[in-house]
Amino acid sequence: MDQIKHILAVVDPTKEQQHSLQRSVSLAQKTGAKITAFLSIYDFSYEMTTMLSKEERDAMRDAVIKDREAWLDELTASFLDIDISKKVVWHNRPFEAIIKTVINSDFDLVVKSTHQHDTLKSVIFTPTDWHLIRKCPTPVLLVKDHAWPEQGHVLAAVNAASDNEQHQALNDRIISDAKFICNIADAKLSIVNTYPATPVNIAIEIPEFNPSQYNEAVKKHHEDETYALAEKFSLERGQCVIKEGLPEDVIPYVAKEFKSELVVIGTVGRTGLSAALVGNTAEHVIDSLDCDVLALKPDGYKSPLED
């Protein structure tokens, strides 16, 4: 993502403040992008109107759509200097409506607000959020209720030591997109890489095994790979954080330590049985974060919703 020309801002009719629209406008002011304010609606009482004629049912649906279109007009009326169009879709699965719109149009970014639990002050990701993270081919920016301050902080989460070509390409994408966001948001960038702890069972079963030596070798390998990746993008070693532990523990800890406004992370978008059995490290990380998240797919990713 070396430019943002068209943003799909997903509007939430249950919220008074539209943080996705506000973040989209902020990005558009810096990049010149146009925005489509998007709303997926469905009235389940529509299912109870089978006794009506098709014309009456269509008229009922059209009336609801027009009412929501008028509401979007009011919502966007104050943003006079931004090119904002409106799109209301009748669909009972919001994530499908969003992804189909992305597939059928030319969008560079999807922006959607997350839900925040007022008591715990933590972010709660909805089923729609997870579907977008897994299946949307376009980068998805999930935002909470704060602005990005000047001289803020962006954290790029990478898997620097992976020998998987797809993961290596995704590392490049994560850092380049994070640098792009830093440039337009006037933010500082750090990259974080985690490495696994010494397997306890090996130390127990093999008496001659030296866990300290093994751990140092693993640490050095990850440091070398992370520094090489940083150098590739003209980043200093001081911008690299390399820590032992699980990504879902380390990355949220580092993000909190740096007071990061945004974490950029890659996801391979597993779905179905693969997701159930193998899981997705990125999803575990995202679920533990309390800041904005930019979720990226590998180049060439094909959504399961594409025909």
Side-chain angles (χ1 to χ4, degrees), residues 49 156 293:
T49 61
V293 177

Side-chain angles (χ1 to χ4, degrees), residues 37 54 57 72 84 91 234 302:
K54 181 181 182 304
R57 284 163 58 85
L72 279 183
I84 303 181
H91 204 297
S234 303
K302 187 176 176 67

Side-chain angles (χ1 to χ4, degrees), residues 10-16 18 38-41 68 71 75:
V10 180
V11 174
D12 187 344
T14 68
K15 287 189 171 186
E16 183 176 343
Q18 297 298 327
F38 179 89
L39 178 61
S40 173
I41 59 167
R68 294 290 83 188
W71 177 69
L75 193 66

